[in-house]
Amino acid sequence: MTDIVHSQAADFPFHMTTTAFDLPGYRIVASLGVVRGVVVRSRSLVGTLGAGLQTILGGNISLFTTLAERTRQQAFDTMLVQAEIADADAVIGIRYDATEIMSGVTEVLCYGTAVRVVPITQP
């Protein structure tokens, strides 16, 4: 699969995603299965050197923080594209997982359950 960028997933409503296993105001009518986004990233030599300098000063290592946030966002967006392909209305039970594959190379996985929902009507 080609890289998924944020703009490709922007059509999926973010308010229809949750880490919970239900969506307030909606009833789940179909479970479409697990959807996931996987990103494998390595640190660049320049980034590693820059982060090494930041560790000398202590505190937040902003170069790694930025890399981590971009990677998580890309995994999330890829998962949303998979949900759109599955014709889902929402994704519930969203989780992240990360594994160091080798030194300096990390896999980030974002996954959840794609569902179809209908609004709960109030009498």
Side-chain angles (χ1 to χ4, degrees):
M1 171 178 275
T2 61
D3 285 349
I4 303 299
V5 294
H6 183 68
S7 63
Q8 290 175 292
D11 291 340
F12 198 95
F14 284 86
H15 69 280
M16 299 298 278
T17 63
T18 182
T19 58
F21 294 103
D22 63 353
L23 197 60
Y26 294 88
R27 183 170 52 87
I28 296 170
V29 295
S31 177
L32 305 173
V34 174
V35 288
R36 66 183 178 277
V38 179
V39 177
V40 178
R41 285 269 166 85
S42 67
R43 299 184 307 250
S44 70
L45 180 59
V46 173
T48 300
L49 292 174
L53 293 173
Q54 284 185 324
T55 61
I56 294 170
L57 302 173
N60 182 34
I61 303 172
S62 61
L63 290 168
F64 286 158
T65 301
T66 301
L67 177 64
E69 283 299 324
R70 275 197 331 254
T71 303
R72 286 185 191 103
Q73 186 66 54
Q74 186 179 12
F76 183 82
D77 289 345
T78 303
M79 178 197 64
L80 292 184
V81 168
Q82 295 301 312
E84 282 187 15
I85 290 168
D87 200 27
D89 299 316
V91 181
I92 61 172
I94 295 174
R95 301 289 186 265
Y96 286 95
D97 192 17
T99 304
E100 187 173 37
I101 295 174
M102 59 186 279
S103 182
V105 178
T106 303
E107 168 203 43
V108 174
L109 169 67
C110 181
Y111 61 96
T113 302
V115 294
R116 286 200 189 109
V117 297
V118 294
I120 297 173
T121 55
Q122 301 298 325

